[in-house]
Structure formats: structure tokens, C-alpha cells
């Protein structure tokens, strides 16, 4: 299976290209997400939160957290600690500002890191989410192995991802 890269003519690897792309669009990302999904991404995130809340996790990891929308929504759960992980410093900075404005600094921590080499101990999280980020893993198998490593046995793992439409909506 060929790796899909954001910039076909770049000598950078997929991970570096994804970081560069998201750093470039970080300030416009939330608005772009609403437009591209016709706003349904908000409902999808609420569905993820409902699934996670059922498990009553104390610790949650949101991988590819971007600007932190899902991590912020997950604050509705009774989790004591939510960690947002992303490889884009630009996206994390926007997320940190949103978290600060919502006074959630005590509950949500944003960390710069790689989903395929996470800086966490084994069995660290009760629940793990990935919204619109699995497609950006350089090596899907490595990312999933890391998730399994840091997820507690019996933990909850939710992926929210889009697919290519089969028919043109227009």
C-alpha cells in the first residue's frame, strides 16, 4: 500500500510533511473543518464523547488532538486528566489558548509528541481517542501498536475518521 503524502514533490517523510502542513494551516483549521464536513464534525465528536463517557475513564489520551476540540469536549466526562498529543506545535498552541479561555488547564494537558513513539508508560490511559488523525500516521501498524501499549487492559479506544464519498454530493 502506497503512503499518501501531503506534498508529492517534497523530500520530507510523511510525518514531517504532516507537521509542516498542520503548522501552516493551524490558525484556519477549525473553520476549515466546519466547512469541509458541513459542520457535522461537531456532532461526530459528541458521539465520541458519549461512547467514552460510558466507560467512565479517569485518564484519557486524545491522539492527533490538533487544536484540542475533542479534548475539550471530553472534559464533559468525569475524567481527572485528559492529555492531548499532536506532532504540530502550531496546532497545539491554538489548542492551549482555547483550553486557557475555557479554564480547563487543570484538566487538559497538551503535549508535543509522535503517535508512533509516545512518551507514556505502558497501560497509562483508561480511554484513547483519535479524531481525523489515523490517516496521518506514517505507519498505521506502529501507531496502533503504540496505542495498545499505552491503553490499559479493557480500556476504550475510539477512532473517528472520514472516508472518501462514493458519490459526488453536488
Amino acid at each position: 500500500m502506497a503512503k499518501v503524502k501531503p506534498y508529492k514533490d517534497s523530500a520530507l517523510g510523511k510525518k514531517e510533511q504532516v507537521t509542516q502542513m498542520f503548522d501552516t494551516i493551524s490558525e484556519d483549521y477549525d473553520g476549515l473543518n466546519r466547512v469541509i464536513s458541513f459542520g457535522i464534525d461537531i456532532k461526530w465528536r459528541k458521539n465520541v464523547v458519549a461512547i467514552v463517557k460510558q466507560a467512565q475513564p479517569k485518564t484519557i489520551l486524545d491522539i492527533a488532538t490538533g487544536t484540542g476540540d475533542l479534548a475539550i469536549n471530553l472534559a464533559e466526562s468525569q475524567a481527572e486528566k485528559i492529555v492531548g498529543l499532536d506532532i504540530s506545535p502550531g496546532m497545539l498552541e491554538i489548542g492551549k489558548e482555547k483550553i486557557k479561555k475555557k479554564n480547563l488547564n487543570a484538566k487538559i494537558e497538551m503535549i508535543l509528541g509522535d503517535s508512533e513513539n509516545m512518551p507514556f508508560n505502558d497501560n497509562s490511559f483508561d480511554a484513547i481517542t483519535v479524531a481525523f488523525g489515523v490517516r496521518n500516521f506514517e505507519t498505521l501498524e506502529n501507531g496502533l501498536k503504540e496505542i495498545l501499549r499505552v491503553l490499559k487492559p479493557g480500556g476504550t479506544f475510539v477512532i473517528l475518521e472520514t472516508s472518501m464519498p462514493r458519490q459526488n454530493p453536488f
Side-chain angles (χ1 to χ4, degrees):
M1 180 162 90
K3 289 184 184 176
V4 177
K5 295 180 179 181
Y7 306 109
K8 293 176 185 168
D9 297 331
S10 175
L12 297 174
K14 181 176 181 178
K15 203 170 291 185
E16 291 81 11
Q17 287 186 29
V18 168
T19 302
Q20 179 183 15
M21 177 184 68
F22 283 112
D23 279 347
T24 301
I25 66 168
S26 60
E27 292 197 21
D28 301 316
Y29 180 78
D30 291 336
L32 289 170
N33 234 3
R34 301 298 107 68
V35 170
I36 290 169
S37 74
F38 300 103
I40 200 163
D41 63 301
I42 295 168
K43 182 178 182 196
W44 291 340
R45 282 189 189 88
K46 286 182 180 183
N47 290 341
V48 171
V49 171
I51 293 167
V52 172
K53 280 172 92 171
Q54 288 177 349
Q56 300 177 334
K58 290 190 189 314
T59 56
I60 302 173
L61 172 62
D62 182 36
I63 297 171
T65 197
T67 62
D69 280 350
L70 183 54
I72 290 167
N73 292 150
L74 288 165
E76 296 173 18
S77 73
Q78 298 303 311
E80 296 166 6
K81 188 67 178 173
I82 300 166
V83 176
L85 180 80
D86 204 281
I87 62 171
S88 168
M91 296 287 271
L92 288 171
E93 286 307 311
I94 302 290
K96 286 176 184 177
E97 286 300 313
K98 288 164 59 174
I99 290 164
K100 184 178 178 183
K101 284 180 186 173
K102 294 184 180 286
N103 201 25
L104 292 170
N105 284 352
K107 192 168 196 171
I108 303 173
E109 179 181 9
M110 300 292 264
I111 295 177
L112 181 65
D114 180 354
S115 61
E116 296 176 47
N117 186 22
M118 292 191 267
F120 309 114
N121 293 329
D122 294 358
N123 308 318
S124 295
F125 297 95
D126 298 306
I128 296 178
T129 59
V130 185
F132 313 113
V134 168
R135 63 181 164 220
N136 294 322
F137 287 8
E138 185 157 12
T139 308
L140 180 59
E141 187 175 335
N142 291 347
L144 294 175
K145 283 180 182 176
E146 270 294 274
I147 289 166
L148 183 59
R149 181 184 69 77
V150 302
L151 182 64
K152 290 180 181 176
T156 301
F157 175 40
V158 182
I159 297 173
L160 171 58
E161 194 60 77
T162 58
S163 62
M164 291 298 290
R166 293 199 171 122
Q167 294 180 345
N168 187 335
F170 302 105

